[in-house]
Amino acid sequence: MPTLLHLDTSVFPGESSASRSVTATFRKEWEAQHPHGTVIYRDLAAEPVPHLDGLAVAAGFTAPDERTPELQAAFALRETLTSELEQADVVLISAPMYNFTIPSTLKAWLDHVFIMGRTAGGEQTTVSGTPTVVVASRGGGYGPGTPRESFEFVTNFLQKALGEALGLDVEFVVPELTLARSNPAMADLVEAADASKAKAHEEAAAKAKALAARFAA
């Protein structure tokens, strides 16, 4: 049975988070298609992984049979997180925009799973081609042609990091204007925000169904 790796990163819980609600829609559809499949779930906001330290970096550049006990211990979490990624048939990530870029918790996870000569640093990595859906929610509008287009450092960064460095097959679902109902200055954008939200849920369900069909028994 297929394995889904699901990472949530929003600091807000449940339906109060646009990105979590859309990843939940994806996962619900995925599990409907594969009720006996495996889901590896990490809530990086509730249980953040530590930032990479010098020993963990050094361990990544040391051959496994040459690591000292200290380096082995430092590499243990990196091995766990990387193995989870390598096991996944599909990856689902929530990546809300915080101050124009990804949550620091997601960056910390990325730093752990970037291992040169294994998941990164070659034309073919151990995770190359893995279908990956990123829910990149944002409070305002940052699409092409908008005044703040140049401030968007979520999808452009993750396309490079996930798609080009790790070799994952990345698709984005982007619910925009998520602050419209809570910010009076955005009152005239509520209708557009609701449309963007509905479209994001539809896209998430459709992508989950399509990807699940690839791994039909």
Side-chain angles (χ1 to χ4, degrees), residues 62-187:
T62 305
D65 59 354
E66 296 179 2
R67 290 175 189 148
T68 64
E70 186 179 31
L71 288 177
Q72 290 175 2
F75 193 74
L77 178 59
R78 297 192 73 186
E79 180 62 44
T80 296
L81 297 174
T82 302
S83 294
E84 290 175 352
L85 178 60
E86 291 171 330
Q87 292 168 32
D89 294 295
V90 173
V91 179
L92 173 65
I93 301 173
S94 82
M97 177 187 283
Y98 290 160
N99 299 318
F100 311 121
T101 191
I102 64 172
S104 62
T105 51
L106 179 55
K107 180 59 166 63
W109 178 85
L110 283 168
D111 288 340
H112 281 281
V113 302
F114 267 64
I115 301 177
M116 297 301 292
R118 181 172 168 180
T119 60
E123 291 185 10
Q124 192 72 19
T125 74
T126 56
V127 295
S128 288
T130 303
T132 301
V133 175
V134 178
V135 179
S137 60
R138 48 217 197 186
Y142 295 82
T146 61
R148 288 203 165 188
E149 178 183 359
S150 65
F151 287 79
E152 205 285 327
F153 299 103
V154 176
T155 60
N156 54 6
F157 169 72
L158 290 177
Q159 181 59 55
K160 297 295 185 183
L162 298 174
E164 296 190 25
L166 296 181
L168 303 175
D169 182 8
V170 183
E171 295 183 277
F172 292 96
V173 176
V174 184
E176 290 195 303
L177 308 172
T178 61
L179 294 176
R181 287 192 170 274
S182 60
N183 184 350
M186 298 175 67

Side-chain angles (χ1 to χ4, degrees), residues 1-4 30 33-34 36-39 87-90 211-212 214-217:
M1 297 301 292
T3 297
L4 173 68
W30 172 271
Q33 304 297 320
H34 292 294
H36 302 296
T38 298
V39 176
Q87 292 168 32
D89 294 295
V90 173
L211 288 171
R214 293 192 196 179
F215 302 98

Side-chain angles (χ1 to χ4, degrees), residues 12 20-21 25 32 44 49 54 95 99 105 120 147 156-157 198 209 214:
F12 300 107
R20 284 181 187 270
S21 67
T25 291
L44 296 178
V49 298
N99 299 318
T105 51
N156 54 6
F157 169 72
K209 189 171 183 178
R214 293 192 196 179

